[in-house]
Amino acid sequence: MNPTLRILLVDDEELARLRLRTLVADCREVPATVVGEAANAVQAADFLAAHPCDLLLLDVHMPGLDGMQFAARLRQQARPPAIVFVTAHAEHALQAFELEAVDYLTKPVKRERLQAALQRVAQRLAPRDEATVAGAEPEVLVVSDRGRVVRVPVAEVLYLKAELKYVTLRTAAHSHVLDDSLSDLEARLGDRFLRVHRNALVARAAVRALERRVMAGEGDDEAGEGWAVRIAPVDEWLAVSRRQLAAVREALLAVGR
């Protein structure tokens, strides 16, 4: 049986929270319960400090710290709750995607859209919870390759890199395209993979060096000198963000201990 999703409602409008509570109760296909409510980010942070929570239904425009800023702070936690933004403003959808929100719902929220969002959250959490209980990690990733379904052993995966709407999976011999989000894959794969950049996960066993190199710009990043890791055996280099640099150094040192 799937565990019940524990949901915190964060919205400065009491009527909006009441409607969301009613909608959650109507989404019977996904076991879910509202465990608390907050009118702003401070109240939400206080609640999270004292209560376990799987998902925030989070408004964007609130007094004080807004929903986007609060979500960015939550991402710094080791295991942050999932985020589904619920707002009357559609213009923040791209920023929500960059914060790896599970979904972005515009008011008035339809029950079907909320239910689909809850199902996505449940699917994201289930592999992580099963690995925690069973003490095991998934051994294969299933990909679609030119009309065929291919089971790629996790042990063969060198890195996973987000590019536009897709994720590229690289092995020593092939590249595959996945529809999964990078955050979902990170939760499923566990400690064998290391986040080196907002758009890349690498297998710890495949990292051979960390050096300063001149890297080509990608997305919003400008070309220039920066840190990068060399991936064996393909001898490719992936950029390392400043935020992840300390963790990458620590991982390389740990291999030699």
Side-chain angles (χ1 to χ4, degrees), residues 9-74:
L9 307 180
V10 187
D11 196 306
D12 61 319
E13 297 181 5
E14 185 176 359
L15 288 178
R17 300 197 304 270
L18 177 61
R19 172 167 172 77
L20 283 175
R21 182 181 284 272
T22 302
L23 285 173
V24 169
D26 288 342
C27 294
R28 304 181 187 279
E29 290 81 355
V30 181
T33 184
V34 175
V35 295
E37 298 184 14
N40 52 57
V42 173
Q43 291 181 8
D46 289 343
F47 182 91
L48 293 173
H51 303 88
C53 182
D54 302 307
L55 166 66
L56 268 63
L57 296 181
L58 180 61
D59 190 17
V60 173
H61 292 287
M62 299 184 296
L65 203 67
D66 69 26
M68 293 293 172
Q69 294 168 325
F70 185 50
R73 291 192 180 184
L74 289 177

